[in-house]
Amino acid sequence: MSLDFDMGARAGALRGQLRELIEQELPEHFPGAFTDDPADLAAAQRFCRVLAERDLLCLSWPQRFGGADASVWEQTVVREEMWAHHEPRGAQYMGVNWVGPIIMRHGTPEQQRRHLPPIAAGEVIWCQGFSEPEAGSDLASLRTHARRDGSAGWVINGQKIWTSYATMAQWCFLLARTTRIGEGSVTKKQQGLTVFLVPMDNPAIQVRPIRTMMGPHHLNEVFFDDLRVTDADVLGDVDAGWSIVADVMSYERVGIARYARCERLLAAAPDALGDRWERLPAELTARWMRMLTHCRRARLMAYRVVALQASGRITPGDAAAYRIAVTRLDQESAEVLMEIAAEAPAGPRGQWFRAEVDDHWRYSQAATVSSGSIEMQRILLSRALLAGPR
């Protein structure tokens, strides 16, 4: 018995089209957008506009919002091909995968008109203002506070941390406390939170990069010092932001198709090593085969979450189960690939493979804390399992 992951001729043609565009539009051995060279970010931005011109960037979005009304499975093909090839959309995947869909579900018509077309055109980058120095995995304990200032205004003060792409983003999807615990009907820390859509060019916002081995742009501190916004910048209802956050997590975690990148690097290993492949220890090649199997497991779990998402039945537990699987795959495959890459011969192919594996390993080290720590994912999954069948 075997599992068939073929999505049909249409999906196959789409994969071919995407791979052709990647080959034509990107520099050879494109290293990703997040390097010290501004040209790499510029290449990613150009590529996003190419995808948008061909209605491929937001393929499954409704046409009225700049999409092509395609199926979620065609969008899954785009997601897989992008992640397999070093995510040449750069930071755009955030707007495409979850910021846009969340604004579709919770935004006002004016917010939809303002924000969705630029995302669909590949013209805008978003960052996420969630985690804080003392509110990472326990997000509801955040301290960034928005207080009323007049009948339709707010003043926001606080700090966010680990904010990816804040140095390049034009907009921030910001979560802040609008009612303190004990005030009014707010009795739990998950209550009294509100989402704001704020422009990053406001002088009341200061961004400080955090240097890490992952390279530029990945992590930053963001400070809000008397940032003034209006009710028009509130997404959804005031004090009801936690339900939006739950939606965000479901979209965000399945949107990162790291299994596709793992599988591409694992599949490239025999060719990269050439004659040396046959001389690898049997134990190492056995681990390599196990990782390929785990890639397929993570892919299958992703497809299940995509199907649930499309039917509107996804829960935090569903997304958490996938996130645990792909996080473990990321780190375990990175360790196997590092051992294999050490045996790669000199020459362009071996050099490319070693560089790609090194990048994969560095990214994987943050996998257990990004998009929610793996410990929190296990808690979410445990709660879902204890709650019983839906």
Side-chain angles (χ1 to χ4, degrees), residues 6-177:
D6 187 1
M7 295 182 185
R10 187 170 178 175
L14 177 58
R15 286 191 194 278
Q17 181 183 3
L18 291 167
R19 291 175 185 178
E20 184 176 341
L21 282 174
I22 289 169
E23 184 175 353
Q24 292 176 348
E25 302 291 338
L26 289 171
E28 187 178 11
H29 302 322
F30 176 65
F34 313 121
T35 71
D36 291 308
D37 189 347
D40 293 325
L41 174 60
Q45 292 297 91
R46 285 195 303 272
F47 185 68
C48 282
R49 290 191 287 272
V50 169
L51 291 176
E53 289 167 1
R54 290 163 171 76
D55 292 328
L56 294 172
L57 186 62
C58 299
L59 192 60
S60 65
W61 283 22
Q63 285 187 340
R64 69 182 185 278
F65 294 138
D69 277 322
S71 72
V72 294
W73 299 107
E74 288 172 279
Q75 189 69 55
T76 299
V77 170
V78 175
R79 182 183 300 144
E80 289 177 347
E81 290 303 315
M82 295 300 103
W83 279 98
H85 293 86
H86 228 311
E87 187 45 277
R89 296 174 299 179
Q92 292 290 346
Y93 77 88
M94 187 178 290
V96 172
N97 283 337
W98 68 263
V99 175
I102 293 298
I103 292 175
M104 288 180 209
R105 296 187 67 174
H106 300 280
T108 64
E110 175 56 33
Q111 288 171 335
Q112 292 170 351
R113 285 192 294 269
R114 182 178 190 179
H115 294 296
L116 296 180
I119 296 175
E123 296 173 349
V124 63
I125 293 174
W126 284 75
C127 64
Q128 179 192 78
F130 279 13
S131 294
E132 299 185 5
E134 296 183 23
S137 297
D138 185 15
L139 178 58
S141 296
L142 61 81
R143 295 183 179 182
T144 295
H145 184 259
R147 62 173 175 82
R148 274 289 185 188
D149 182 43
S151 60
W154 299 86
V155 177
I156 301 175
N157 284 279
Q159 176 189 0
K160 299 294 179 177
I161 198 167
W162 316 129
T163 307
S164 299
Y165 323 128
T167 53
M168 63 176 70
Q170 291 85 43
W171 287 88
C172 180
F173 193 97
L174 175 66
L175 185 66
R177 180 161 295 284

